[in-house]
Amino acid sequence: MPSDIYHKIIDLVLKAAKLARAVGINNLLQPGLVKEMIIADILGRELITTKRDADAHAIGNPNEKYEYLSCKKGGSGQLDRMFKAPKEKRKESLERITRNHRIYFAIFYEEEQTKCKVIYEILPDVMVAETERQLDRSSNAISHVGFTEAWARENGKIVHQDK
């Protein structure tokens, strides 16, 4: 009966949330957080759980920050709410990229979206150039900027690949 399975799932989520709170993660169900946790674990990084910061940093060095983008196979990773204008807001939006030592773009399997297929490492300057190109072409003052796996393959390097 499905409700029995739902009860088991809920029980496991509640136990996971309790574990997460024990290490300072107050909202395990925050959008994207579990995938960011998976990426940080694969790359050996320390997760940053606040919404207004990067996604992770080097272990022992909170100044070496990393941003994570992810999608399922065939999708696109996005930077949401990037400002084209005014100039100050655009600069602030781009700092979401430039504050980072590297950007990592993870592709998860469509049929098993907690399993990572591949992770690409991208230099912030390369991502800024593509972001500015997309913003310049946008007719909106605020846009979502998207990156495909083909773009990441062409502009980054593979740092993890599932066997």
Side-chain angles (χ1 to χ4, degrees), residues 127-140:
M127 185 159 280
V128 164
E130 176 60 15
T131 300
E132 292 209 279
R133 186 191 71 76
Q134 290 187 39
L135 289 173
D136 288 344
R137 292 181 49 201
S138 176
S139 58
N140 302 318

Side-chain angles (χ1 to χ4, degrees), residues 4 6 20 43-45 52 56 58 67 72 76 85 90-91 110 119 125 128 135 137 148 159:
D4 292 341
Y6 297 160
L43 297 176
R45 307 287 192 245
R52 302 276 180 236
E67 188 70 23
K72 63 183 179 182
S76 67
R90 181 174 177 140
K91 182 178 182 289
E110 185 172 7
I119 301 175
D125 291 348
V128 164
L135 289 173
R137 292 181 49 201
T148 64
V159 294

Side-chain angles (χ1 to χ4, degrees), residues 79-84 135 138-145:
L79 290 169
D80 295 342
R81 296 190 48 77
M82 297 294 286
F83 282 79
K84 176 180 182 172
L135 289 173
S138 176
S139 58
N140 302 318
I142 304 172
S143 297
H144 298 317
V145 178

Side-chain angles (χ1 to χ4, degrees), residues 12-142:
L12 289 169
V13 169
L14 293 174
K15 287 177 181 171
K18 184 176 181 179
L19 273 174
R21 282 191 303 277
V23 294
I25 300 171
N26 295 320
N27 183 8
L28 180 64
L29 301 180
Q30 174 181 307
L33 184 61
V34 173
K35 283 191 176 177
E36 291 167 4
M37 194 180 299
I38 292 167
I39 298 165
D41 185 58
I42 290 168
L43 297 176
R45 307 287 192 245
E46 190 167 330
L47 189 67
I48 298 173
T49 60
T50 56
K51 284 295 282 174
R52 302 276 180 236
D53 204 344
D55 295 322
H57 65 76
I59 293 180
N61 184 359
N63 295 319
E64 187 175 302
K65 296 182 178 190
Y66 305 100
E67 188 70 23
Y68 297 154
L69 299 177
S70 67
C71 67
K72 63 183 179 182
K73 188 172 175 353
S76 67
Q78 285 192 161
L79 290 169
D80 295 342
R81 296 190 48 77
M82 297 294 286
F83 282 79
K84 176 180 182 172
K87 195 180 216 176
E88 307 78 44
K89 287 281 199 181
R90 181 174 177 140
K91 182 178 182 289
E92 193 176 305
S93 288
L94 292 173
E95 285 172 0
R96 290 172 48 199
I97 301 169
T98 60
R99 71 183 173 198
N100 297 291
H101 183 68
R102 295 285 187 273
I103 312 295
Y104 292 97
F105 183 22
I107 310 296
F108 287 81
Y109 289 101
E110 185 172 7
E111 64 281 354
E112 194 175 340
Q113 292 185 36
T114 55
K115 188 172 181 184
C116 187
K117 175 184 176 261
V118 62
I119 301 175
Y120 297 91
E121 180 183 84
I122 301 162
L123 295 172
D125 291 348
V126 173
M127 185 159 280
V128 164
E130 176 60 15
T131 300
E132 292 209 279
R133 186 191 71 76
Q134 290 187 39
L135 289 173
D136 288 344
R137 292 181 49 201
S138 176
S139 58
N140 302 318
I142 304 172

